[in-house]
């Protein structure tokens, strides 16, 4: 199948938002999506963007049943390892189900890796649900290492009230400084 991988533009945010929801449904977490296409536009296409994104686009003659030509995306951002150096974190890699098996996901992943290498990143990291065997197999076949068992890493998150509480601690401690 003919497709193109390209940098996302502000105009792609509606399609990216749509596919974020499709991915959330797939991973059984649609109620967790709180972001809109407007927020994607604001956060990804500003002077200091929080993320970068690639999209997979098919020609009009291969559009989806619903009429979409943007059929996949890879959303990523840069972080830093104090042990290894610059790192790319792949937040999402998604291809619409009817377009899977055509090399689109592999191409998106390879392009993110190429971007990472050009930015002198030393690694590409991501997380996924333990039950998502197709994704685990996909990444393993590409050479990814599952650090859950080998290194015992746990992903920790502060959000909502726990993030508010933590931030409020800074206010009380900064008054003393």
């Amino acid at each position: 199948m003919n497709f193109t991988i390209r940098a996302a533009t502000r105009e792609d945010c509606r399609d990216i938002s749509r596919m974020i929801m499709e991915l959330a449904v797939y991973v059984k977490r649609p109620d967790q999506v709180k972001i809109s296409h407007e927020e994607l536009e604001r956060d990804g296409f500003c002077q200091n963007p929080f993320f970068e994104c690639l999209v997979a686009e098919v020609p009009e003659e291969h559009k989806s049943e619903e009429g979409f030509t943007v059929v996949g995306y890879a959303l990523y951002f840069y972080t830093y390892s104090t042990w290894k150096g610059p790192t790319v974190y792949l937040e999402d890699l998604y291809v619409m189900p009817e377009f899977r098996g055509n090399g689109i996901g592999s191409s998106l992943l390879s392009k993110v890796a190429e971007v990472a290498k050009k930015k002198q990143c030393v690694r590409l990291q991501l997380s996924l649900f333990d039950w998502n065997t197709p994704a685990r197999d996909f990444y393993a076949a590409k050479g990814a290492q599952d650090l859950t068992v080998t290194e015992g890493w746990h992903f920790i998150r502060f959000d909502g009230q726990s993030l508010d509480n933590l931030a409020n601690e800074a206010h009380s401690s900064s008054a003393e400084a």
Side-chain angles (χ1 to χ4, degrees):
M1 171 175 286
N2 190 20
F3 61 88
T4 304
I5 305 297
R6 61 172 175 79
T9 65
R10 180 182 298 274
E11 291 72 32
D12 293 313
C13 288
R14 284 186 188 273
D15 281 318
I16 296 165
S17 181
R18 167 185 53 81
M19 291 184 289
I20 288 171
M21 182 53 76
E22 290 175 16
L23 176 58
V25 168
Y26 175 74
V27 298
K28 303 171 182 66
R29 301 286 196 283
D31 59 315
Q32 297 296 309
V33 177
K34 305 297 182 205
I35 199 153
S36 68
H37 69 90
E38 292 95 350
E39 289 162 310
L40 289 171
E41 290 174 16
R42 180 196 68 209
D43 296 341
F45 299 92
C46 55
Q47 186 174 348
N48 295 303
F50 285 95
F51 67 86
E52 293 179 13
C53 189
L54 300 171
V55 293
E57 189 170 32
V58 297
E60 191 69 29
E61 63 267 18
H62 295 297
K63 65 186 174 188
S64 72
E65 292 176 11
E66 300 89 4
F68 300 117
T69 58
V70 176
V71 299
Y73 76 100
L75 192 145
Y76 56 95
F77 56 90
Y78 301 96
T79 184
Y80 196 84
S81 165
T82 57
W83 293 356
K84 303 289 183 180
T87 301
V88 166
Y89 188 87
L90 180 62
E91 180 69 19
D92 287 349
L93 176 68
Y94 178 77
V95 177
M96 293 173 62
E98 66 190 273
F99 293 93
R100 293 179 189 163
N102 292 301
I104 296 172
S106 292
S107 292
L108 282 165
L109 183 61
S110 295
K111 190 66 174 176
V112 171
E114 180 184 62
V115 169
K117 294 302 288 182
K118 284 181 181 175
K119 295 261 190 172
Q120 301 180 336
C121 293
V122 295
R123 61 187 182 191
L124 168 61
Q125 293 190 168
L126 58 106
S127 59
L128 45 84
F129 287 103
D130 59 356
W131 58 261
N132 193 347
T133 305
R136 288 179 27 212
D137 292 346
F138 171 78
Y139 294 118
K142 299 287 184 192
Q145 306 158 38
D146 184 346
L147 303 179
T148 307
V149 175
T150 59
E151 295 189 16
W153 287 99
H154 288 269
F155 287 97
I156 307 298
R157 175 186 302 148
F158 290 94
D159 64 3
Q161 191 61 51
S162 64
L163 180 60
D164 292 345
N165 292 345
L166 191 60
N168 287 334
E169 288 179 23
H171 294 303
S172 62
S173 65
S174 65
E176 301 165 7

